[in-house]
Amino acid sequence: MQPRRRELPPTAGLPLRFADLRPGAATLATGIAAQLGTPPLQLECSGTASLLIALTALHELQPQRRRVVVPAFTCPLVAIAVRQAGLELQLCDLRPGHYDMDPSALRAACDERTLAIIPTHLAGRVADVDDALAVANNVGAYVIEDAAQALGARRDGSSVGLAGDIGFFSLAAGKGLSIYEGGLLLARDPELQAHLARTAARIVPRRVGWEWKRSLELLGYAALYRPRGLRLAYGNPLRRALRRGDPVAAVGDDFPLTIPLHRVGRWRQGVGAHAATRLPAFLDEVSAQAQRRLPRLRRIDGVEVLDDPAGAQGSWPFLLLLLPDQGRRDAALAQLWQVGLGVSRLFIHALPDYTYLADIVPAQDVPHARDFAARSLSISNSPWVTDDDFETICRTLEAALA
């Protein structure tokens, strides 16, 4: 298939409107907290900055503990945050064919040196936080819920992020709600929440240059996050990276090794607050769309669709699939990745296999995480993906798996 003039995004982001760009009150964090039913949310300059603040605060409370246990298949920024906090990364392999950490591997990874365990609500799917809590309670560690991709997801009727000690969400470009870069941080315990706020006040500086940069990027996002503009902003760079054989750059996994810290300005907060009034309806829309489309995918022999456990209602930024083997996954991607239909990959590698992270991530045998990376692909759940677009994707998958 040839690339089309109409480029679909890889995720279901809430489009900004011109009216969102007008000045407004800096009520983004309070507005989202009211929608989710959470304790007060702390607005930071990125989800990764939120994680860095959380790790810094927890290490101050337990300075003798330095290890942070993370899934071996997760965003490289998690590993970078652990290193920037001056802590040690401990990988945990996944359950076979699943996004959750393997229970046996998790227990083997944790001991009296463990500061925190980070279960990840990957792709908007709701993770098994209970197992992480059981292990953490046994060794005296904290649990940080990585809900960067799961704003709006719920577990037993409550927002994700509330079962652990700390949770955080991302407001990055392409997420359900975006101020181009931003993060929301929360803690169940009021004293811990106050400690997070004090930590951020101490380590996060005011950097006018960074905020100007993010403001300009947000204007560009508002202008180009449309099926026409995305060809220029997303599709063409993707295809250039794939032509030079660089899938890490194609999906944006090539992050700087230092996380910028700065305070979010009032204008961007106002933009987010305006857009947030449409967020609940948008999340309902994309969830309903996913539920309509999942049965079609499940009828394809060889396709496994990742879903939520009982009692959970995840968010649906995209649909995450596992194919039977890497060869057939790659055959499907060869037809779909470059043509603008919103088909992509989540993360290219398991964490030990990123060359640029060699000094950060310990070498470790994590076969299930590597298998997950080799067999997975994602399909955008944006409302711009029409039924005809989706049927084209499904037929291409059927042909690749035949």
Side-chain angles (χ1 to χ4, degrees):
M1 287 185 282
Q2 294 296 314
R4 309 167 320 151
R5 299 177 68 87
R6 182 174 174 271
E7 187 88 33
L8 298 175
T11 62
L14 174 66
L16 294 176
R17 297 174 179 173
F18 179 77
D20 295 334
L21 305 180
R22 70 189 190 277
T27 58
L28 174 58
T30 56
I32 297 298
Q35 288 180 13
L36 300 181
T38 66
L41 291 167
Q42 183 172 314
L43 179 65
E44 299 299 338
C45 63
S46 67
T48 317
S50 301
L51 175 58
L52 176 57
I53 292 163
L55 291 171
T56 302
L58 294 181
H59 191 225
E60 290 172 350
L61 295 176
Q62 295 209 36
Q64 75 281 7
R65 294 174 179 256
R66 299 182 55 81
R67 287 195 174 176
V68 180
V69 178
V70 309
F73 182 80
T74 193
C75 181
L77 285 168
V78 172
I80 294 170
V82 172
R83 168 59 68 89
Q84 191 163 328
L87 301 171
E88 299 174 9
L89 189 72
Q90 176 67 52
L91 301 181
C92 180
D93 203 4
L94 305 185
R95 288 170 46 194
H98 204 271
Y99 53 87
D100 274 331
M101 290 182 282
D102 179 80
S104 297
L106 181 58
R107 282 155 179 79
C110 296
D111 57 25
E112 70 280 356
R113 295 167 292 182
T114 303
L115 174 68
I117 303 169
I118 307 182
T120 302
H121 301 291
L122 194 72
R125 310 280 49 80
V126 177
D128 182 1
V129 180
D130 288 340
D131 193 53
L133 287 169
V135 176
N137 289 336
N138 189 49
V139 300
Y142 296 97
V143 170
I144 302 173
E145 290 186 56
D146 180 349
Q149 299 178 351
L151 181 65
R154 293 191 172 273
R155 176 180 180 269
D156 297 327
S158 298
S159 172
V160 296
L162 290 173
D165 299 286
I166 294 174
F168 68 93
F169 305 96
S170 173
L171 303 177
K175 295 299 196 319
L177 174 68
S178 177
I179 55 173
Y180 195 82
E181 281 288 358
L184 295 166
L185 181 61
L186 68 95
R188 286 186 290 113
D189 179 66
E191 290 187 9
L192 182 54
Q193 182 71 58
H195 183 50
L196 292 173
R198 289 192 299 270
T199 303
R202 190 180 73 254
I203 71 172
V204 178
R206 295 187 184 276
R207 289 179 172 168
V208 176
W210 268 106
E211 187 56 23
W212 272 104
K213 181 179 188 296
R214 295 299 189 224
S215 296
L216 291 172
E217 288 168 334
L218 181 57
L219 287 171
Y221 177 79
L224 296 177
Y225 193 76
R226 301 287 188 277
R228 294 280 182 179
L230 279 165
R231 183 175 177 84
L232 174 66
Y234 165 71
N236 290 343
L238 163 74
R239 286 180 276 275
R240 285 195 297 269
L242 291 176
R243 282 196 298 269
R244 65 176 185 266
D246 190 353
V248 172
V251 301
D253 278 358
D254 50 344
F255 298 104
L257 296 182
T258 301
I259 299 160
L261 293 174
H262 62 97
R263 299 187 187 182
V264 179
R266 185 182 180 88
W267 177 73
R268 283 202 299 140
Q269 292 187 51
V271 172
H274 291 315
T277 60
R278 305 191 303 279
L279 181 62
F282 180 79
L283 292 175
D284 287 345
E285 177 186 5
V286 296
S287 177
Q289 176 172 272
Q291 297 307 320
R292 289 196 307 271
R293 291 178 172 175
L294 290 173
R296 174 68 177 93
L297 285 171
R298 292 185 176 121
R299 290 198 299 270
I300 303 174
D301 189 31
V303 167
E304 180 182 354
V305 185
L306 278 298
D307 207 340
D308 299 311
Q313 299 83 38
S315 61
W316 292 94
F318 45 87
L319 313 177
L320 187 60
L321 316 182
L322 287 177
L323 272 60
D325 52 64
Q326 183 174 355
R328 281 178 280 187
R329 192 282 307 272
D330 289 349
L333 283 175
Q335 296 294 314
L336 291 168
W337 201 357
Q338 301 189 49
V339 298
L341 282 169
V343 175
S344 185
R345 292 172 66 178
L346 181 47
F347 307 122
I348 296 299
H349 299 303
L351 284 180
D353 299 330
Y354 288 95
T355 303
Y356 78 101
L357 295 180
D359 293 334
I360 295 177
V361 178
Q364 188 172 325
D365 186 23
V366 284
H368 301 316
R370 287 181 168 127
D371 176 70
F372 199 97
R375 295 196 292 124
S376 57
L377 63 79
S378 62
I379 301 172
S380 174
N381 194 38
S382 168
W384 292 324
V385 180
T386 67
D387 290 342
D388 287 344
D389 294 330
F390 186 70
E391 184 60 27
T392 297
I393 294 167
C394 290
R395 290 180 179 176
T396 304
L397 288 172
E398 287 171 334
L401 293 171

